[in-house]
Each structure stands twice: as C-alpha cells, then as structure tokens.
Amino acid sequence: MDTIASLFSFITTPVSWVIVQFHTVYGTIFGPDTGWAWGLSIVSLVILIRICLIPLFVKQIKATRAMQTLQPEMKKIQERYKNDKQRQSEEMMKLYKESGTNPLSSCLPILAQSPFFFALYHVLNGIATGKTIGVIDDQLLASARKAHIVGAPLAAKFMDSTDKVTALGATLTDVRVVTAVMIILMSASQFYTQRQLMTKNVDTTVKTPFMQQQKMLMYVFPVMFAIFGINFPVGVLVYWLTTNVWTMGQQMYVIHNNPTPGSKAQAAYLERLFKHVSHHGKTRNRREKAIVKAIVVKGRDRNEFERKFINGLNKAGLAAQSDGSVMKGESAAVAQTEDGTTTTATATAPRRQQPKRQSKAQRQSGGTKPAEEATESLSLTKSDEPEDAPAAAGNKAASKPGNGTRSKAQSGQRKGPQRPKSPSKK
C-alpha cells in the first residue's frame, strides 16, 4: 500500500494543503489538537472532492444505463462469435462506437477519486511515522499525532503493535474497537448502496449477465473493504466511511428522482408523479416535464409502468403532450366534489342501434308495414276474391292452359307485387 501511495505523491501537496486550510477553520472552533478539528478536516476534504466529481457521477449513470440497454445485443454477439474471440472483440467495439457508450465510463468516479485517496493515505502514513509531508510542518505534525477520534489516534491501524499504539498515546483495545466499528460501518454502507441499486434501480424486464455481475459485486466489495480496512489508518477509515455515506445518499437521491426505466423505482416514481399531476392538473417543474416528454416520445416502446401512467392520466381526464405538459383531455370531464376528491365523468358516444330483423312478408311488401299488417292485408285480399273467378284481362297472357284453378301462389311463384310482363307479340 505504501508503494502504491508513493506513486501519487505528486498530488500529496495539494491534498495536505486543503486539509491544513480546513484544520485552520475547525481549529478555531474545537481546538487545534482535537480529533474534531482533524476529523472534520478529512470529512470536508471528502465532501469537496465528491462535489467536484458530480459531473463524472452523472456521466457514470448515463453510461451504466446505456450498458444495460446494450446487454441483449452484447449477449447475441457473444453467442454468435463464441469460438472467435477476436471477432467478438471487434463486434463489441463496433457496438460501443455505434451507440456512443464506453464501458469505462461507469468507473470514472472511482478512478478519479483514487489519486486523492492514495495521497491522503500517504499523508496519514507520514503522520504515523513522524515525517513531515507536503505542507504539514513539524508543528502541524505534532498536533495531528495528538489528535484522537473516540480514543483512537488519527494515524493508528487495526494491525499496529502495542508499542506503536502506546507511542501515539492510546491503548490497543481502543484502537481495535474503533477501527472494527468503522470497518463494519464502511462495509455495511457499501453493501446497502449496491443492494438498493440491484433491487430498486435495475430494469427487471431484461435478464442479462450484467445483472449477475452486479449481484456478485454486491457481496465481493464489502469483503474487500473489510480485508483492506484492517491496514488503513483511522484517518483513512474516516475518509472512506464518509465517501461511502455520500455515495449512498447520492444513490438514494438518484433512485428517488431519476430512476432507471423499467425498474421498481420507476414504478414508485410514476405513481407519485401521477398523484401530483392529477391533483394539480399540470406538471410542476422542468424535471417532471422532461420525464413526461420522454414517456410520450417513446410511443409504443413504453414499458408497463409508463403505459399505466399514461392510461391513468387518460382516465383522470388529462392528456400528456409532446412538450411534457399535461392538459385536460377532450374525452373526459373532471369534476371536483365538495370533500376534495376528484371524480371523472367520461363522455361516451351513443350506441348504434341495430335494425330489427324483418319477416318474410315484410321483405316481400318492401318493409313499409309490420308483419301483422302485411299478413292481414294479404288475407283480406284473398278473401274478397272468389276462388273460381276468371283471371283479369291483364293476366291472361301470363296464365297458361292446363293450370285449372291453381293460383300462381300455389304454383311456387313468389308472393307480393310482381313486375308486369310485356305483352307477347302476336
């Protein structure tokens, strides 16, 4: 660890200068030789570094989500070229180039933070060995060696010997109890951060090897922190515990306000957003408009949570617009009751009436009369006309000899008004 820290000695002077500046401020409040002054100086250094790394954190989120989106395509490439590793690597690089993603982008905050971490370790190790380093002179070195955090010296380690701990003005029991508690808190915060990422902010609709890797890291990282933590000085444990707590809070904020599409966190966020929008009748700020706009633009590619959100707005009489705003829909009217609840009255179109089925007599008579009237009319006509009456003059040409008294209706001819036939040529 000392060899690695020496590689980042070029940044030791800036890190030590920042610590000294914070120590000057806190020393006037708590005293220059107290653990509060030096401990809060390290905490303030962490906060300053993490604020500077926020742009990289945003880039990390975008890169991680882009990698999750590419996982199905990457799996296809691996299966297609599983016997040709070179072609597989070429296709992977081509996929990254076309999509504009970089696998290393998800590691940028850790890589950017590493020089500061090793520089701080180099500074604290110099304090433990009694060497001036950076801008820390003999007077500041003596003050730092007197500083104790809950009974543990700033430069003490869990694996230090009794003589070394005694030289720093503490007991081995106090050092090991304090370092053990800090290592447990450091590992637990790392585990919780990774767990909430896996359980809440991962697209559950896509099952990829990337999820299995993240799940494995959820258990590996805490073990690594516990192993390396026993060789960290108390000051470095303060630094690493602070940065883990910061990461956990930052992750919780992102999951709550900008969750991954298709995750459980998105379902909870859209449910809260629906309640706010349906209550106020509009999106309240620019962030909500951006979320609604992204959902509207997706169209048919929306996931089940986004479709549920849009359908809920439609049922509430609201319509999401392409610019992210929300307007009252034309197909529903929203009424506010006296007790403050919202009711929805949907305007429905009149149902189309199906025509009644006509009887055979109605179809024969043209459908202008009901079946009963048509039947009665036909029966009256038949009763008024004698059965043996001679045929009319206009029907002589239509009748044939040999038919006797059988009528046209009895011979199978269709009833009802018939088209007159043209007179036969003589």
Side-chain angles (χ1 to χ4, degrees):
M1 183 65 72
D2 295 338
T3 305
I4 298 175
S6 62
L7 296 176
F8 296 92
S9 58
F10 66 93
I11 202 173
T12 300
T13 300
V15 169
S16 61
W17 182 84
V18 173
I19 293 178
V20 169
Q21 301 306 312
F22 281 121
H23 174 263
T24 303
V25 175
Y26 293 120
T28 58
I29 301 174
F30 302 101
D33 300 335
T34 60
W36 284 101
W38 286 99
L40 289 176
S41 299
I42 297 173
V43 171
S44 300
L45 172 67
V46 175
I47 295 174
L48 178 63
I49 293 173
R50 295 308 299 266
I51 290 175
C52 295
L53 293 179
I54 286 178
L56 293 179
F57 179 75
V58 174
K59 192 172 183 179
Q60 177 194 20
I61 293 175
K62 293 180 179 179
T64 303
R65 293 183 180 178
M67 289 296 295
Q68 291 177 353
T69 306
L70 291 179
Q71 287 303 309
E73 298 296 330
M74 294 171 61
K75 189 175 181 180
K76 292 180 181 178
I77 293 175
Q78 291 174 353
E79 292 178 354
R80 186 179 303 173
Y81 304 105
K82 59 183 178 180
N83 296 326
D84 190 352
K85 297 298 181 181
Q86 183 177 359
R87 181 65 184 277
Q88 185 181 118
S89 301
E90 293 176 356
E91 293 295 327
M92 287 289 189
M93 296 303 296
K94 183 179 179 181
L95 180 63
Y96 294 149
K97 187 176 181 181
E98 291 177 352
S99 58
T101 58
N102 188 353
L104 296 178
S105 298
S106 58
C107 303
L108 284 177
I110 296 177
L111 295 176
Q113 190 179 348
S114 297
F116 300 97
F117 168 77
F118 288 112
L120 178 63
Y121 180 87
H122 197 43
V123 170
L124 294 175
N125 189 58
I127 294 174
T129 55
K131 297 179 181 179
T132 58
I133 187 169
V135 298
I136 297 180
D137 53 15
D138 293 332
Q139 182 180 359
L140 291 172
L141 178 63
S143 175
R145 288 176 66 86
K146 294 178 183 178
H148 288 64
I149 298 177
V150 199
L154 199 69
K157 304 175 186 178
F158 183 88
M159 300 300 294
D160 284 345
S161 62
T162 305
D163 296 337
K164 189 173 183 179
V165 173
T166 304
L168 294 173
T171 63
L172 185 61
T173 303
D174 292 340
V175 171
R176 291 191 173 179
V177 169
V178 172
T179 52
V181 171
M182 296 182 71
I183 289 171
I184 292 173
L185 293 176
M186 184 176 62
S187 300
S189 59
Q190 177 65 34
F191 176 79
Y192 181 78
T193 301
Q194 191 70 18
R195 186 177 184 275
Q196 72 174 349
L197 178 66
M198 289 298 302
T199 58
K200 296 181 179 180
N201 206 39
V202 174
D203 188 357
T204 56
T205 60
V206 180
K207 304 295 182 181
T208 60
F210 178 77
M211 296 177 61
Q212 298 297 329
Q213 295 173 4
Q214 293 295 318
K215 189 175 181 180
M216 181 182 65
L217 293 177
M218 180 174 64
Y219 297 99
V220 171
F221 275 164
V223 175
M224 291 176 60
F225 276 110
I227 294 173
F228 291 119
I230 60 177
N231 295 311
F232 288 164
V234 173
V236 175
L237 293 178
V238 172
Y239 174 91
W240 207 250
L241 178 61
T242 305
T243 193
N244 279 3
V245 173
W246 176 281
T247 303
M248 182 175 63
Q250 193 170 245
Q251 188 78 266
M252 291 175 65
Y253 176 82
V254 171
I255 291 174
H256 187 270
N257 296 283
N258 190 18
T260 301
S263 63
K264 294 181 180 179
Q266 190 196 30
Y269 175 78
L270 291 180
E271 185 176 354
R272 296 192 304 268
L273 180 60
F274 171 73
K275 291 180 180 179
H276 294 158
V277 172
S278 60
H279 178 71
H280 297 282
K282 61 180 180 180
T283 49
R284 297 175 299 174
N285 49 49
R286 186 180 300 175
R287 180 172 53 82
E288 291 184 354
K289 285 186 177 181
I291 295 292
V292 175
K293 180 180 179 180
I295 294 175
V296 173
V297 168
K298 285 185 178 181
R300 295 184 177 180
D301 295 332
R302 303 184 189 112
N303 56 50
E304 57 176 328
F305 307 128
E306 295 166 345
R307 288 194 295 268
K308 183 179 179 181
F309 173 74
I310 295 296
N311 293 335
L313 290 179
N314 294 336
K315 291 180 180 179
L318 300 172
Q321 307 298 314
S322 58
D323 60 349
S325 61
V326 175
M327 299 178 62
K328 289 187 177 181
E330 299 178 358
S331 61
V334 180
Q336 195 78 13
T337 59
E338 295 180 358
D339 59 352
T341 58
T342 303
T343 57
T344 306
T346 306
T348 56
R351 297 180 62 182
R352 182 179 177 183
Q353 298 292 334
Q354 296 291 339
K356 294 183 179 180
R357 187 174 181 179
Q358 295 179 346
S359 63
K360 185 176 181 181
Q362 287 178 319
R363 292 195 298 270
Q364 292 172 350
S365 61
T368 58
K369 296 180 181 181
E372 294 82 0
E373 296 180 3
T375 306
E376 183 179 358
S377 176
L378 290 173
S379 61
L380 290 174
T381 306
K382 289 182 178 181
S383 60
D384 293 341
E385 184 179 352
E387 296 180 359
D388 298 333
N395 295 333
K396 287 182 179 180
S399 60
K400 294 182 180 179
N403 286 343
T405 59
R406 182 182 298 177
S407 61
K408 294 179 180 180
Q410 294 174 345
S411 63
Q413 188 175 355
R414 195 170 57 180
K415 294 183 181 180
Q418 302 293 327
R419 181 178 179 182
K421 296 181 178 179
S422 58
S424 57
K425 296 181 180 180
K426 295 182 180 181

PDB file of all heavy atoms in Angstrom, residues 226-250:
ATOM      1  N   ALA A 226     -13.488  -4.891   4.104  1.00  0.00           N
ATOM      2  CA  ALA A 226     -13.141  -5.423   5.416  1.00  0.00           C
ATOM      3  C   ALA A 226     -11.696  -5.901   5.464  1.00  0.00           C
ATOM      4  O   ALA A 226     -10.990  -5.706   6.468  1.00  0.00           O
ATOM      5  CB  ALA A 226     -14.090  -6.567   5.772  1.00  0.00           C
ATOM      6  N   ILE A 227     -11.219  -6.528   4.374  1.00  0.00           N
ATOM      7  CA  ILE A 227      -9.844  -7.041   4.339  1.00  0.00           C
ATOM      8  C   ILE A 227      -8.835  -5.897   4.306  1.00  0.00           C
ATOM      9  O   ILE A 227      -7.858  -5.871   5.068  1.00  0.00           O
ATOM     10  CB  ILE A 227      -9.655  -7.969   3.131  1.00  0.00           C
ATOM     11  CG1 ILE A 227     -10.515  -9.239   3.306  1.00  0.00           C
ATOM     12  CG2 ILE A 227      -8.189  -8.340   2.962  1.00  0.00           C
ATOM     13  CD1 ILE A 227     -10.519 -10.144   2.096  1.00  0.00           C
ATOM     14  N   PHE A 228      -9.079  -4.915   3.401  1.00  0.00           N
ATOM     15  CA  PHE A 228      -8.140  -3.798   3.304  1.00  0.00           C
ATOM     16  C   PHE A 228      -8.273  -2.833   4.478  1.00  0.00           C
ATOM     17  O   PHE A 228      -7.325  -2.105   4.797  1.00  0.00           O
ATOM     18  CB  PHE A 228      -8.352  -3.036   1.993  1.00  0.00           C
ATOM     19  CG  PHE A 228      -7.949  -3.817   0.777  1.00  0.00           C
ATOM     20  CD1 PHE A 228      -8.867  -4.128  -0.200  1.00  0.00           C
ATOM     21  CD2 PHE A 228      -6.640  -4.245   0.612  1.00  0.00           C
ATOM     22  CE1 PHE A 228      -8.503  -4.844  -1.328  1.00  0.00           C
ATOM     23  CE2 PHE A 228      -6.260  -4.973  -0.511  1.00  0.00           C
ATOM     24  CZ  PHE A 228      -7.195  -5.272  -1.484  1.00  0.00           C
ATOM     25  N   GLY A 229      -9.458  -2.803   5.103  1.00  0.00           N
ATOM     26  CA  GLY A 229      -9.689  -1.832   6.178  1.00  0.00           C
ATOM     27  C   GLY A 229      -8.811  -2.045   7.390  1.00  0.00           C
ATOM     28  O   GLY A 229      -8.484  -1.086   8.097  1.00  0.00           O
ATOM     29  N   ILE A 230      -8.405  -3.274   7.662  1.00  0.00           N
ATOM     30  CA  ILE A 230      -7.579  -3.519   8.840  1.00  0.00           C
ATOM     31  C   ILE A 230      -6.176  -2.939   8.673  1.00  0.00           C
ATOM     32  O   ILE A 230      -5.429  -2.813   9.653  1.00  0.00           O
ATOM     33  CB  ILE A 230      -7.496  -5.028   9.146  1.00  0.00           C
ATOM     34  CG1 ILE A 230      -6.872  -5.785   7.972  1.00  0.00           C
ATOM     35  CG2 ILE A 230      -8.879  -5.577   9.471  1.00  0.00           C
ATOM     36  CD1 ILE A 230      -6.682  -7.281   8.234  1.00  0.00           C
ATOM     37  N   ASN A 231      -5.799  -2.583   7.436  1.00  0.00           N
ATOM     38  CA  ASN A 231      -4.491  -1.968   7.181  1.00  0.00           C
ATOM     39  C   ASN A 231      -4.592  -0.467   6.932  1.00  0.00           C
ATOM     40  O   ASN A 231      -3.589   0.161   6.598  1.00  0.00           O
ATOM     41  CB  ASN A 231      -3.820  -2.633   5.987  1.00  0.00           C
ATOM     42  CG  ASN A 231      -3.477  -4.087   6.241  1.00  0.00           C
ATOM     43  OD1 ASN A 231      -2.889  -4.413   7.277  1.00  0.00           O
ATOM     44  ND2 ASN A 231      -3.829  -4.969   5.321  1.00  0.00           N
ATOM     45  N   PHE A 232      -5.792   0.116   7.088  1.00  0.00           N
ATOM     46  CA  PHE A 232      -5.978   1.546   6.882  1.00  0.00           C
ATOM     47  C   PHE A 232      -5.817   2.278   8.212  1.00  0.00           C
ATOM     48  O   PHE A 232      -6.311   1.817   9.253  1.00  0.00           O
ATOM     49  CB  PHE A 232      -7.366   1.856   6.326  1.00  0.00           C
ATOM     50  CG  PHE A 232      -7.551   1.456   4.881  1.00  0.00           C
ATOM     51  CD1 PHE A 232      -8.823   1.360   4.344  1.00  0.00           C
ATOM     52  CD2 PHE A 232      -6.469   1.200   4.067  1.00  0.00           C
ATOM     53  CE1 PHE A 232      -9.005   1.012   3.023  1.00  0.00           C
ATOM     54  CE2 PHE A 232      -6.644   0.833   2.742  1.00  0.00           C
ATOM     55  CZ  PHE A 232      -7.920   0.741   2.219  1.00  0.00           C
ATOM     56  N   PRO A 233      -5.158   3.457   8.224  1.00  0.00           N
ATOM     57  CA  PRO A 233      -5.158   4.299   9.422  1.00  0.00           C
ATOM     58  C   PRO A 233      -6.576   4.798   9.734  1.00  0.00           C
ATOM     59  O   PRO A 233      -7.459   4.790   8.871  1.00  0.00           O
ATOM     60  CB  PRO A 233      -4.230   5.456   9.043  1.00  0.00           C
ATOM     61  CG  PRO A 233      -3.432   4.968   7.893  1.00  0.00           C
ATOM     62  CD  PRO A 233      -4.289   3.992   7.163  1.00  0.00           C
ATOM     63  N   VAL A 234      -6.778   5.226  10.943  1.00  0.00           N
ATOM     64  CA  VAL A 234      -8.105   5.706  11.353  1.00  0.00           C
ATOM     65  C   VAL A 234      -8.542   6.879  10.480  1.00  0.00           C
ATOM     66  O   VAL A 234      -9.717   6.992  10.112  1.00  0.00           O
ATOM     67  CB  VAL A 234      -8.073   6.112  12.841  1.00  0.00           C
ATOM     68  CG1 VAL A 234      -9.397   6.777  13.244  1.00  0.00           C
ATOM     69  CG2 VAL A 234      -7.799   4.909  13.716  1.00  0.00           C
ATOM     70  N   GLY A 235      -7.615   7.755  10.119  1.00  0.00           N
ATOM     71  CA  GLY A 235      -7.962   8.897   9.264  1.00  0.00           C
ATOM     72  C   GLY A 235      -8.458   8.456   7.901  1.00  0.00           C
ATOM     73  O   GLY A 235      -9.394   9.040   7.348  1.00  0.00           O
ATOM     74  N   VAL A 236      -7.847   7.405   7.326  1.00  0.00           N
ATOM     75  CA  VAL A 236      -8.296   6.891   6.036  1.00  0.00           C
ATOM     76  C   VAL A 236      -9.667   6.222   6.177  1.00  0.00           C
ATOM     77  O   VAL A 236     -10.509   6.322   5.281  1.00  0.00           O
ATOM     78  CB  VAL A 236      -7.255   5.910   5.462  1.00  0.00           C
ATOM     79  CG1 VAL A 236      -7.774   5.269   4.178  1.00  0.00           C
ATOM     80  CG2 VAL A 236      -5.948   6.634   5.181  1.00  0.00           C
ATOM     81  N   LEU A 237      -9.887   5.532   7.303  1.00  0.00           N
ATOM     82  CA  LEU A 237     -11.210   4.944   7.538  1.00  0.00           C
ATOM     83  C   LEU A 237     -12.281   6.032   7.626  1.00  0.00           C
ATOM     84  O   LEU A 237     -13.405   5.839   7.147  1.00  0.00           O
ATOM     85  CB  LEU A 237     -11.195   4.105   8.820  1.00  0.00           C
ATOM     86  CG  LEU A 237     -10.338   2.831   8.796  1.00  0.00           C
ATOM     87  CD1 LEU A 237     -10.386   2.138  10.149  1.00  0.00           C
ATOM     88  CD2 LEU A 237     -10.814   1.890   7.701  1.00  0.00           C
ATOM     89  N   VAL A 238     -11.946   7.161   8.231  1.00  0.00           N
ATOM     90  CA  VAL A 238     -12.878   8.292   8.269  1.00  0.00           C
ATOM     91  C   VAL A 238     -13.172   8.773   6.854  1.00  0.00           C
ATOM     92  O   VAL A 238     -14.327   9.045   6.490  1.00  0.00           O
ATOM     93  CB  VAL A 238     -12.310   9.435   9.133  1.00  0.00           C
ATOM     94  CG1 VAL A 238     -13.183  10.686   9.017  1.00  0.00           C
ATOM     95  CG2 VAL A 238     -12.221   9.008  10.587  1.00  0.00           C
ATOM     96  N   TYR A 239     -12.111   8.879   6.049  1.00  0.00           N
ATOM     97  CA  TYR A 239     -12.281   9.300   4.657  1.00  0.00           C
ATOM     98  C   TYR A 239     -13.180   8.322   3.901  1.00  0.00           C
ATOM     99  O   TYR A 239     -14.131   8.722   3.231  1.00  0.00           O
ATOM    100  CB  TYR A 239     -10.906   9.389   3.987  1.00  0.00           C
ATOM    101  CG  TYR A 239     -10.946   9.680   2.501  1.00  0.00           C
ATOM    102  CD1 TYR A 239     -10.902  10.978   2.035  1.00  0.00           C
ATOM    103  CD2 TYR A 239     -11.048   8.642   1.568  1.00  0.00           C
ATOM    104  CE1 TYR A 239     -10.941  11.249   0.668  1.00  0.00           C
ATOM    105  CE2 TYR A 239     -11.087   8.902   0.210  1.00  0.00           C
ATOM    106  CZ  TYR A 239     -11.031  10.199  -0.233  1.00  0.00           C
ATOM    107  OH  TYR A 239     -11.087  10.460  -1.577  1.00  0.00           O
ATOM    108  N   TRP A 240     -12.906   7.024   3.999  1.00  0.00           N
ATOM    109  CA  TRP A 240     -13.634   6.040   3.200  1.00  0.00           C
ATOM    110  C   TRP A 240     -15.063   5.863   3.694  1.00  0.00           C
ATOM    111  O   TRP A 240     -15.977   5.667   2.899  1.00  0.00           O
ATOM    112  CB  TRP A 240     -12.893   4.707   3.213  1.00  0.00           C
ATOM    113  CG  TRP A 240     -13.155   3.892   1.991  1.00  0.00           C
ATOM    114  CD1 TRP A 240     -13.863   2.739   1.904  1.00  0.00           C
ATOM    115  CD2 TRP A 240     -12.736   4.198   0.669  1.00  0.00           C
ATOM    116  NE1 TRP A 240     -13.913   2.298   0.598  1.00  0.00           N
ATOM    117  CE2 TRP A 240     -13.228   3.178  -0.179  1.00  0.00           C
ATOM    118  CE3 TRP A 240     -11.984   5.238   0.114  1.00  0.00           C
ATOM    119  CZ2 TRP A 240     -12.989   3.179  -1.550  1.00  0.00           C
ATOM    120  CZ3 TRP A 240     -11.760   5.227  -1.253  1.00  0.00           C
ATOM    121  CH2 TRP A 240     -12.253   4.209  -2.066  1.00  0.00           C
ATOM    122  N   LEU A 241     -15.286   5.931   5.007  1.00  0.00           N
ATOM    123  CA  LEU A 241     -16.647   5.860   5.538  1.00  0.00           C
ATOM    124  C   LEU A 241     -17.471   7.065   5.088  1.00  0.00           C
ATOM    125  O   LEU A 241     -18.644   6.926   4.723  1.00  0.00           O
ATOM    126  CB  LEU A 241     -16.603   5.783   7.066  1.00  0.00           C
ATOM    127  CG  LEU A 241     -17.968   5.757   7.775  1.00  0.00           C
ATOM    128  CD1 LEU A 241     -18.784   4.545   7.346  1.00  0.00           C
ATOM    129  CD2 LEU A 241     -17.769   5.774   9.293  1.00  0.00           C
ATOM    130  N   THR A 242     -16.849   8.226   5.072  1.00  0.00           N
ATOM    131  CA  THR A 242     -17.558   9.436   4.629  1.00  0.00           C
ATOM    132  C   THR A 242     -17.930   9.353   3.157  1.00  0.00           C
ATOM    133  O   THR A 242     -19.042   9.701   2.760  1.00  0.00           O
ATOM    134  CB  THR A 242     -16.691  10.684   4.878  1.00  0.00           C
ATOM    135  OG1 THR A 242     -16.300  10.731   6.249  1.00  0.00           O
ATOM    136  CG2 THR A 242     -17.455  11.950   4.531  1.00  0.00           C
ATOM    137  N   THR A 243     -17.001   8.886   2.329  1.00  0.00           N
ATOM    138  CA  THR A 243     -17.303   8.801   0.900  1.00  0.00           C
ATOM    139  C   THR A 243     -18.351   7.729   0.609  1.00  0.00           C
ATOM    140  O   THR A 243     -19.162   7.875  -0.315  1.00  0.00           O
ATOM    141  CB  THR A 243     -16.016   8.556   0.086  1.00  0.00           C
ATOM    142  OG1 THR A 243     -16.287   8.772  -1.305  1.00  0.00           O
ATOM    143  CG2 THR A 243     -15.517   7.138   0.257  1.00  0.00           C
ATOM    144  N   ASN A 244     -18.387   6.627   1.411  1.00  0.00           N
ATOM    145  CA  ASN A 244     -19.429   5.612   1.237  1.00  0.00           C
ATOM    146  C   ASN A 244     -20.803   6.152   1.611  1.00  0.00           C
ATOM    147  O   ASN A 244     -21.801   5.868   0.941  1.00  0.00           O
ATOM    148  CB  ASN A 244     -19.103   4.378   2.073  1.00  0.00           C
ATOM    149  CG  ASN A 244     -18.091   3.471   1.402  1.00  0.00           C
ATOM    150  OD1 ASN A 244     -17.578   3.776   0.332  1.00  0.00           O
ATOM    151  ND2 ASN A 244     -17.793   2.358   2.037  1.00  0.00           N
ATOM    152  N   VAL A 245     -20.849   6.906   2.708  1.00  0.00           N
ATOM    153  CA  VAL A 245     -22.129   7.503   3.118  1.00  0.00           C
ATOM    154  C   VAL A 245     -22.597   8.514   2.078  1.00  0.00           C
ATOM    155  O   VAL A 245     -23.784   8.602   1.752  1.00  0.00           O
ATOM    156  CB  VAL A 245     -21.991   8.157   4.511  1.00  0.00           C
ATOM    157  CG1 VAL A 245     -23.252   8.936   4.871  1.00  0.00           C
ATOM    158  CG2 VAL A 245     -21.720   7.095   5.566  1.00  0.00           C
ATOM    159  N   TRP A 246     -21.666   9.290   1.531  1.00  0.00           N
ATOM    160  CA  TRP A 246     -22.022  10.242   0.480  1.00  0.00           C
ATOM    161  C   TRP A 246     -22.563   9.509  -0.743  1.00  0.00           C
ATOM    162  O   TRP A 246     -23.573   9.917  -1.331  1.00  0.00           O
ATOM    163  CB  TRP A 246     -20.800  11.078   0.104  1.00  0.00           C
ATOM    164  CG  TRP A 246     -21.046  12.031  -1.038  1.00  0.00           C
ATOM    165  CD1 TRP A 246     -21.077  11.740  -2.365  1.00  0.00           C
ATOM    166  CD2 TRP A 246     -21.323  13.432  -0.929  1.00  0.00           C
ATOM    167  NE1 TRP A 246     -21.350  12.861  -3.113  1.00  0.00           N
ATOM    168  CE2 TRP A 246     -21.510  13.924  -2.254  1.00  0.00           C
ATOM    169  CE3 TRP A 246     -21.415  14.322   0.128  1.00  0.00           C
ATOM    170  CZ2 TRP A 246     -21.773  15.260  -2.513  1.00  0.00           C
ATOM    171  CZ3 TRP A 246     -21.690  15.656  -0.136  1.00  0.00           C
ATOM    172  CH2 TRP A 246     -21.872  16.106  -1.442  1.00  0.00           C
ATOM    173  N   THR A 247     -21.902   8.439  -1.146  1.00  0.00           N
ATOM    174  CA  THR A 247     -22.355   7.658  -2.300  1.00  0.00           C
ATOM    175  C   THR A 247     -23.736   7.069  -2.054  1.00  0.00           C
ATOM    176  O   THR A 247     -24.590   7.063  -2.956  1.00  0.00           O
ATOM    177  CB  THR A 247     -21.359   6.531  -2.607  1.00  0.00           C
ATOM    178  OG1 THR A 247     -20.060   7.100  -2.832  1.00  0.00           O
ATOM    179  CG2 THR A 247     -21.777   5.741  -3.834  1.00  0.00           C
ATOM    180  N   MET A 248     -23.980   6.578  -0.850  1.00  0.00           N
ATOM    181  CA  MET A 248     -25.279   6.001  -0.517  1.00  0.00           C
ATOM    182  C   MET A 248     -26.383   7.054  -0.611  1.00  0.00           C
ATOM    183  O   MET A 248     -27.438   6.814  -1.206  1.00  0.00           O
ATOM    184  CB  MET A 248     -25.240   5.391   0.883  1.00  0.00           C
ATOM    185  CG  MET A 248     -26.525   4.718   1.319  1.00  0.00           C
ATOM    186  SD  MET A 248     -26.353   3.890   2.923  1.00  0.00           S
ATOM    187  CE  MET A 248     -26.000   5.313   3.983  1.00  0.00           C
ATOM    188  N   GLY A 249     -26.142   8.243  -0.040  1.00  0.00           N
ATOM    189  CA  GLY A 249     -27.142   9.317  -0.131  1.00  0.00           C
ATOM    190  C   GLY A 249     -27.347   9.799  -1.551  1.00  0.00           C
ATOM    191  O   GLY A 249     -28.478  10.073  -1.972  1.00  0.00           O
ATOM    192  N   GLN A 250     -26.264   9.904  -2.304  1.00  0.00           N
ATOM    193  CA  GLN A 250     -26.357  10.326  -3.703  1.00  0.00           C
ATOM    194  C   GLN A 250     -27.132   9.314  -4.532  1.00  0.00           C
ATOM    195  O   GLN A 250     -27.959   9.673  -5.374  1.00  0.00           O
ATOM    196  CB  GLN A 250     -24.939  10.496  -4.252  1.00  0.00           C
ATOM    197  CG  GLN A 250     -24.856  11.216  -5.582  1.00  0.00           C
ATOM    198  CD  GLN A 250     -23.422  11.548  -5.932  1.00  0.00           C
ATOM    199  OE1 GLN A 250     -23.030  12.690  -6.016  1.00  0.00           O
ATOM    200  NE2 GLN A 250     -22.606  10.527  -6.132  1.00  0.00           N
TER     201      GLN A 250
END
